[in-house]
Amino acid sequence: MKEVAGNPLQLKSINHISLVCRSVEESIDFYTNVLGFVPIRRPGSFDFDGAWLFNFGIGIHLLQSENPENMPKKSEINPKDNHISFQCESMGTVEKKLKEMEIVYKRQRVEEGGIYVDQLFFHDPDGFMIEICNCDNLPVIPIAGECEMVRSCSRGVNLDIITPQKQIQTFVQM
């Protein structure tokens, strides 16, 4: 396998994900009222139904399915399925709100070296998996080679980054 250095495409960040929906209106309701996204303007030149939402530094582009009745329906919550993950302030608050909204979810706990990460998985109206976690509990540790910069999505987290040559302790503050 050819070794790839750093950032060959000079990427800056994730901009958005696109999701095909049975009903754009139902998905807008879910992403705004459950996850806190805000509708934003999308280009008027588009000749198909959809909506753009934004929050947490990422956009979600909802696209109306041309054949909504043929879209597969997922009912089993499988944490190994494709998903997007959001970090939260309080797992207890999230779980309480999901119960109040009668959203079916699956709870999971991961342990790594005495560090625990709690995860809640649930589906959007079209079966796309959503994860809410406190994943920022885990340090970001490169697998091999030097790391020029490692960022955490949380505020003020101590990261112990271990590289083959040295140990770096970084404090990331947003």
Side-chain angles (χ1 to χ4, degrees), residues 43-88:
S45 61
F46 285 163
D47 63 353
F48 55 90
D49 194 17
W52 284 10
L53 309 172
F54 187 83
N55 205 348
F56 316 110
I58 188 170
I60 295 181
H61 294 184
L62 303 173
L63 308 171
Q64 178 63 49
S65 171
E66 294 178 5
N67 298 305
E69 60 281 347
N70 292 335
M71 287 183 62
K73 294 185 180 185
K74 292 185 181 180
S75 57
E76 179 188 350
I77 297 174
N78 177 2
K80 295 179 184 173
D81 202 351
N82 294 328
H83 63 275
I84 186 168
S85 179
F86 297 94
Q87 299 199 125
C88 68

Side-chain angles (χ1 to χ4, degrees), residues 56-127:
F56 316 110
I58 188 170
I60 295 181
H61 294 184
L62 303 173
L63 308 171
Q64 178 63 49
S65 171
E66 294 178 5
N67 298 305
E69 60 281 347
N70 292 335
M71 287 183 62
K73 294 185 180 185
K74 292 185 181 180
S75 57
E76 179 188 350
I77 297 174
N78 177 2
K80 295 179 184 173
D81 202 351
N82 294 328
H83 63 275
I84 186 168
S85 179
F86 297 94
Q87 299 199 125
C88 68
E89 297 289 330
S90 167
M91 293 297 292
T93 300
V94 171
E95 191 165 12
K96 180 181 176 201
K97 290 289 186 186
L98 290 175
K99 286 179 184 176
E100 288 173 6
M101 292 185 269
E102 299 180 346
I103 294 175
V104 177
Y105 63 91
K106 183 174 188 174
R107 184 192 317 172
Q108 189 166 285
R109 176 173 258 198
V110 177
E111 186 269 332
E112 177 69 26
I115 299 171
Y116 294 93
V117 172
D118 295 307
Q119 302 166 301
L120 298 171
F121 294 91
F122 53 96
H123 288 141
D124 78 357
D126 298 296

